[in-house]
Amino acid sequence: LPACGLRLTVAIAASINVIAGLIASQIRDEADRREQTSEPALPEMSAREAPRQTSPRLLLLLFAVVGATAFAYEIAWTRLLSVEIGSSTYAFTLILSAFLAGTALGGAAFQRVFRNQRPVTLATFSLSQTWIGITALVSLISFRWTPSLIPPLLRETHHSFGGFLLAQAVASTLAVVPVAVIFGFNFPAVLVLLDALSSGHAGRPTVLGQAYAANTLGAIAGSVLTGFILVPRLGSFTVVASAAAVNLLLALLIGWSTVHQRILATAINFTALALAAFVGFSPVFQDESLLAFSAALYGNDFDGRLSVKEVAATNDVLFHAEGLNESVAVVRSDDHVALRINGKVDASTGDIRTQLLFGHLGATFHPAPRRVLIVGFGSGMTVSAVARYPDVERIDCVEIEPAVLRAAPYLDSLNRGVLSDPRVHVIFDDARNFLLTSSDKYDLIISEPSNPWMAGVATLFTDEFYDAARRRLAPGGIFIQWVQAYSLAPADLRMVAATLAPHFPELTLWRADESDLFLLARTNPVPLRFDRLRSLWHNAALRQDFASLEVQSPEGLAAYFLLDDAAVRTLAQGAPHNTDDRTLLEYHAPKTLLRPDLFAENQIMINQLRTGPLPGPLDKSEFTRAMEAGVRTALDLNDPTNAQRFLSALQTQQPESASAAVAQARLDLLRGALTDAKASLETALTLDSDSPEAMHWLVIARSRDGQATEARSLVDEILKRHPDNLDALTDQMELAAERKDFRLALVAQMARMKVLGDPPPFEYCRLGSIWIKMANLVEAELTFLRGTLKDPYSYACSLGLGELYRASGRLALARQYLEKIIREYPNADPNNYKSLADVYSSLGDVASAKGILRKGHRVFPDDVDLRKTSLH
């Protein structure tokens, strides 16, 4: 397909069919003559096993049911495996190949078993259904351990694409091939039975045609029923168990109609039916943490020192559902909530910067975006960012999977309840279909699909898709495309740019988080200005979003700029296009999925094309303010390279200022040049003696340089002038804690929390830790509990409570919190293992104490103290 394209591939397939038909027509007459003169090739059916009440119609009906179960297995296993091994085109191909290979092996096994004219009986049909049901159940039960095979295979093959395919093939083979072999055996067996029940050999072609028709109709019905009804309602795991139950019921029905019904066979089928009910609906086998976790993508987290089950258990599953198209889950841990699609994280609190900036970038630079189209709802963060703008009149969001909307309430901290906004309209459709069939025009289109290595997603990066998007833009409209800079080869990144570039007169490249990129495409390349954002800066909700982006003033958005139009077109020059006919990206992207070095390669390629820090099309009147704000944002983002670009440009444009001196000092601090940093800050205070920012950074510089007394004196001076200065209160609290003045640290922390108004959970944890240092366990416990009320997953508060209860002898409570810590944060601190082992020992559970120490040594193999504890 990648080499030939879809059209040529279809033409080749059609040509092969024509050639096969011509060859068949040539040998047809000879085959007919052989059939008339030779003995029947198919085994006969035993007469005693063909009672009069067994009709071909009943057998055809049963054969249709078998066809339905075959496709139920294939669809359900594909959905289960796509979570564990990834949902790329290669993965789906391997799953289908495994099923077809198993079917072929089963057919060959039938030929070998019955080639000596052994009789095929109804008991053969019944027994095959029993084995299909039992084999399916065995595969389902063993599926709990199948994901654990994937990480070692990836490690042994150095995370190569070949190793990735091997791991996918092994998982697919173990899950699908055993049951497919028996289906392959069953198919010719039923054909023989039907042939024997027909009126002689002359009826064989008709019987074979009827058999194929019945099996195919059953397969169609099974596909529709499984894909549209059973999987969304029951889940793939339960569907496999249910299909196994159907096969076992068929075995009982067929066996009951035979003369020589055996008690043992009946007992086996009833026992297997009971097992199917238990396996299919019991949480003992349906481990949601595993069913919502991609072993291929994340199984080697924690350096492979934890099992797949242990890695999956580090997050709690708040929501899990299988939709019409995808498996959707919401998982949670300490200050981290994530949306997983087919086991892969598609949005999380770690993506806040990307998701918010995606919505704000276009809405900032379009003069009046009244109608907005967003491709993909995801966590809803981008939709909520656009909804912050009061002049936006309508937001259409095209989402292909309805289950994503069912997950939205569990992601309320990210989407801010945006679905209740009357301007938001969610359309359940494929984005391509919507763009091709809609006549609406939009001022802003935001394309936020999943990663292009996932099957089907690359069609949202094609020439035809961009053409459709361009035609749906109103005059002056803006289109924004997300593209990853990680796990994507530089050649493929260039291909995305090359595919998009011809459709727009201006294309610029921006970054969010370092590994996420945006292509900003404008139909009207007028100079960029921040006027619109400045006019809306009084909007508190809008400012809160930009604070999350480390943008303290509208012009700070310039810190996210990377390449202007000329540079992007240079980047794209000579790269092939991704088209509907040749979706190269769909086949290229999975090959680099596990390569960790590609972000660095893409970063080098982009940096080689960078010119200045400011967007080329930026209006000249914006330069000074953009440079001043840009350097601050770059420093807040811990991006010293970009900060240096802004600072150098700023120093050539204007005389020395206090803000520039502070920026230079912060840059020196990032580089560890303490003497230079202090000199710059002294200069800043000379230019502005009452600058709290300059004094705060001078406190930091003096503290790092060992001048603790001078640092404390400066903090006191700041607080005399600005009693509610949060930075100064933080400095006071940290400096007091360093010299073990916990009373002053307590006062400072309480003052900080008062200034914050609604402090986050971590602030309660920090306050609780100070109470512990002051030996006030009652206040410490109450404070920690308040923190856990705000965030039950808080690591710091849970650890504080665990250690507090251990120290005070409340061992059952200590065990509860420390077990939670070890499960959710296994690599946080080796001392946590020693604490939990001590609790187990005190409770008399020596076996658990030894077990947790063994796990600790596995996670921290180089920790000498932990090794000594385990030996002790």
Side-chain angles (χ1 to χ4, degrees):
L1 282 177
C4 301
L6 293 174
R7 294 186 181 90
L8 183 55
T9 300
V10 171
I12 292 172
S15 300
I16 292 173
N17 282 133
V18 171
I19 293 170
L22 291 173
I23 295 173
S25 67
Q26 292 296 318
I27 63 174
R28 179 185 57 191
D29 294 339
E30 182 180 352
D32 288 343
R33 286 193 299 271
R34 288 182 179 178
E35 185 176 342
Q36 293 170 4
T37 59
S38 64
E39 292 297 322
L42 296 176
E44 295 291 348
M45 178 182 176
S46 173
R48 64 175 184 166
E49 294 288 349
R52 294 178 181 178
Q53 65 268 28
T54 304
S55 69
R57 289 185 179 179
L58 176 59
L59 206 55
L60 286 172
L61 177 61
L62 296 177
F63 198 35
V65 176
V66 172
T69 61
F71 271 73
Y73 285 125
E74 185 174 350
I75 291 171
W77 274 118
T78 299
R79 293 291 294 270
L80 284 171
L81 288 167
S82 65
V83 173
E84 299 300 335
I85 67 176
S87 52
S88 69
T89 295
Y90 296 102
F92 290 137
T93 302
L94 286 169
I95 296 169
L96 178 60
S97 298
F99 195 87
L100 295 176
T103 305
L105 288 172
F110 175 84
Q111 190 273 338
R112 185 175 181 85
V113 171
F114 291 97
R115 63 184 174 183
N116 294 322
Q117 298 296 309
R118 286 182 57 185
V120 177
T121 67
L122 284 175
T124 306
F125 190 10
S126 176
L127 187 60
S128 69
Q129 296 307 298
T130 299
W131 277 110
I132 287 174
I134 292 175
T135 304
L137 288 176
V138 171
S139 297
L140 199 60
I141 293 170
S142 64
F143 188 66
R144 299 179 65 190
W145 295 278
T146 299
S148 64
L149 301 175
I150 297 172
L153 285 172
L154 295 178
R155 289 196 298 270
E156 290 299 319
T157 55
H158 308 290
H159 295 84
S160 66
F161 179 59
F164 191 29
L165 291 181
L166 175 62
Q168 292 176 327
V170 168
S172 301
T173 299
L174 291 174
V176 173
V177 168
V179 73
V181 167
I182 307 175
F183 271 110
F185 185 95
N186 178 78
F187 195 91
V190 175
L191 293 182
V192 171
L193 286 174
L194 286 168
D195 179 67
L197 291 171
S198 66
S199 56
H201 302 305
R204 179 175 296 169
T206 301
V207 170
L208 294 180
Q210 290 175 342
Y212 273 102
N215 192 258
T216 302
L217 287 173
I220 293 171
S223 299
V224 172
L225 183 66
T226 302
F228 290 98
I229 298 175
L230 295 181
V231 166
R233 292 189 179 183
L234 301 178
S236 298
F237 194 93
T238 303
V239 167
V240 173
S242 301
V246 171
N247 290 121
L248 293 167
L249 286 171
L250 284 176
L252 284 168
L253 178 62
I254 299 166
W256 192 264
S257 67
T258 62
V259 175
H260 299 281
Q261 170 67 23
R262 296 180 179 178
I263 296 177
L264 179 59
T266 303
I268 290 173
N269 284 318
F270 273 117
T271 302
L273 270 172
L275 181 62
F278 178 69
V279 171
F281 295 94
S282 170
V284 173
F285 293 96
Q286 288 203 61
D287 188 336
E288 280 201 330
S289 63
L290 280 175
L291 293 177
F293 177 79
S294 175
L297 296 180
Y298 311 118
N300 275 315
D301 286 358
F302 303 96
D303 298 322
R305 293 170 181 169
L306 294 178
S307 68
V308 170
K309 185 176 177 61
E310 287 173 328
V311 177
T314 56
N315 290 275
D316 283 344
V317 179
L318 305 183
F319 171 84
H320 183 226
E322 293 194 59
L324 293 172
N325 306 286
E326 297 161 324
S327 170
V328 178
V330 177
V331 297
R332 177 75 194 272
S333 64
D334 185 17
D335 69 12
H336 180 81
V337 61
L339 172 71
R340 289 182 186 167
I341 304 295
N342 286 344
K344 185 194 77 68
V345 174
D346 256 22
S348 71
T349 47
D351 300 317
I352 285 179
R353 193 170 291 159
T354 295
Q355 302 278 315
L356 292 182
L357 183 59
F358 205 14
H360 287 298
L361 192 62
T364 293
F365 290 128
H366 192 286
R370 305 292 184 225
R371 293 175 62 89
V372 180
L373 173 66
I374 299 174
V375 175
F377 183 81
S379 67
M381 270 191 285
T382 298
V383 180
S384 71
V386 174
R388 295 294 207 205
Y389 294 85
D391 51 354
V392 171
E393 298 171 356
R394 182 183 177 95
I395 305 171
D396 287 342
C397 182
V398 183
E399 173 56 56
I400 196 170
E401 178 49 68
V404 169
L405 272 294
R406 290 164 52 199
Y410 299 89
L411 296 162
D412 188 70
S413 62
L414 303 182
N415 58 52
R416 286 86 66 95
V418 72
L419 288 174
S420 63
D421 191 319
R423 298 172 297 167
V424 175
H425 303 268
V426 179
I427 302 150
F428 295 118
D429 197 357
D430 175 78
R432 289 171 56 85
N433 293 339
F434 179 79
L435 285 174
L436 291 170
T437 57
S438 174
S439 59
D440 293 334
K441 295 286 187 178
Y442 295 94
D443 300 306
L444 174 62
I445 297 178
I446 299 172
S447 183
E448 189 180 12
S450 190
N451 303 74
W453 61 265
M454 299 182 75
V457 174
T459 58
L460 299 179
F461 292 83
T462 63
D463 187 72
E464 291 80 0
F465 175 74
Y466 293 143
D467 178 66
R470 176 67 181 84
R471 287 186 279 108
R472 295 277 70 80
L473 283 173
I478 292 177
F479 175 83
I480 305 181
Q481 174 70 66
W482 169 86
V483 62
Q484 66 190 73
Y486 57 92
S487 300
L488 189 71
D492 292 331
L493 177 58
R494 294 177 57 239
M495 178 167 57
V496 173
T499 305
L500 179 59
H503 299 280
F504 293 90
E506 183 195 82
L507 200 62
T508 52
L509 184 69
W510 301 67
R511 55 157 283 198
D513 279 327
E514 287 186 326
S515 57
D516 291 300
L517 304 174
F518 300 139
L519 286 161
L520 179 69
R522 298 196 297 160
T523 59
N524 183 21
V526 296
L528 294 174
R529 295 187 58 85
F530 295 100
D531 289 347
R532 169 174 161 75
L533 192 53
R534 279 193 289 264
S535 69
L536 295 169
W537 204 246
H538 64 277
N539 185 318
L542 199 64
R543 286 202 315 274
Q544 182 183 13
D545 273 12
F546 278 97
S548 300
L549 301 172
E550 305 296 346
V551 174
Q552 308 303 325
S553 61
E555 300 82 9
L557 197 59
Y560 289 96
F561 170 75
L562 289 176
L563 300 179
D564 60 16
D565 180 72
V568 172
R569 294 185 190 277
T570 300
L571 177 76
Q573 190 172 5
H577 287 201
N578 188 49
T579 67
D580 283 353
D581 183 46
R582 299 184 71 225
T583 49
L584 299 175
L585 196 57
E586 183 161 356
Y587 298 93
H588 289 185
K591 294 181 178 180
T592 57
L593 176 59
L594 300 180
R595 284 186 55 184
D597 57 330
L598 291 176
F599 166 63
E601 290 185 18
N602 284 318
Q603 195 174 40
I604 291 170
M605 179 178 67
I606 290 169
N607 286 336
Q608 288 174 343
L609 295 171
R610 293 194 70 176
T611 52
L614 296 176
L618 188 67
D619 191 289
K620 287 183 170 52
S621 64
E622 300 277 7
F623 277 21
T624 300
R625 283 180 294 186
M627 286 187 291
E628 290 177 343
V631 68
R632 179 174 180 178
T633 297
L635 288 167
D636 288 340
L637 293 172
N638 288 318
D639 185 355
T641 303
N642 203 28
Q644 184 62 71
R645 288 192 183 97
F646 277 103
L647 194 57
S648 298
L650 182 63
Q651 289 169 344
T652 61
Q653 293 288 325
Q654 65 176 31
E656 192 172 33
S657 65
S659 61
V662 171
Q664 182 62 61
R666 292 183 60 187
L667 190 58
D668 292 333
L669 284 172
L670 284 175
R671 294 169 175 169
L674 295 177
T675 302
D676 293 339
K678 288 192 292 182
S680 295
L681 290 166
E682 296 289 358
T683 300
L685 288 172
T686 301
L687 297 169
D688 183 359
S689 60
D690 195 35
S691 169
E693 183 183 22
M695 287 189 281
H696 161 67
W697 288 107
L698 186 54
V699 169
I700 299 296
R702 287 177 175 175
S703 178
R704 290 183 185 177
D705 202 26
Q707 298 175 307
T709 303
E710 293 84 348
R712 290 197 299 272
S713 298
L714 188 54
V715 168
D716 293 340
E717 185 178 342
I718 300 171
L719 290 174
K720 284 179 183 177
R721 302 182 191 181
H722 310 281
D724 293 333
N725 185 278
L726 191 59
D727 286 336
L729 288 170
T730 302
D731 294 336
Q732 185 181 55
M733 184 268 297
E734 291 178 347
L735 289 171
E738 283 179 10
R739 69 176 187 276
K740 303 187 184 308
D741 185 352
F742 296 116
R743 186 171 298 279
L744 179 57
L746 180 72
V747 172
Q749 177 62 9
M750 287 181 167
R752 290 183 71 256
M753 295 174 71
K754 183 178 179 181
V755 172
L756 287 168
D758 183 23
F762 179 76
E763 298 297 344
Y764 288 92
C765 307
R766 182 146 55 181
L767 181 61
S769 297
I770 298 174
W771 277 119
I772 283 184
K773 296 294 186 182
M774 296 181 66
N776 192 331
L777 299 186
V778 174
E779 286 295 338
E781 181 182 7
L782 290 174
T783 306
F784 283 138
L785 288 172
R786 290 191 192 102
T788 57
L789 284 176
K790 298 200 76 169
D791 180 9
Y793 293 88
S794 170
Y795 169 81
C797 284
S798 295
L799 179 60
L801 285 169
E803 292 293 356
L804 185 152
Y805 291 138
R806 183 171 75 94
S808 59
R810 287 176 280 181
L811 299 179
L813 286 171
R815 179 178 61 187
Q816 173 187 332
Y817 281 100
L818 291 173
E819 284 178 343
K820 174 184 173 66
I821 286 292
I822 293 295
R823 178 176 66 84
E824 296 179 356
Y825 317 102
N827 66 336
D829 189 341
N831 290 318
N832 295 340
Y833 290 89
K834 291 188 285 186
S835 294
L836 183 55
D838 177 65
V839 169
Y840 282 143
S841 295
S842 299
L843 289 170
D845 190 351
V846 178
S848 294
K850 291 181 178 179
I852 203 64
L853 287 173
R854 283 195 298 269
K855 180 178 179 179
H857 189 233
R858 174 158 46 95
V859 177
F860 296 98
D862 300 324
D863 190 273
V864 177
D865 291 338
L866 192 59
R867 184 181 295 111
K868 289 179 180 178
T869 304
S870 63
L871 291 174
H872 177 73

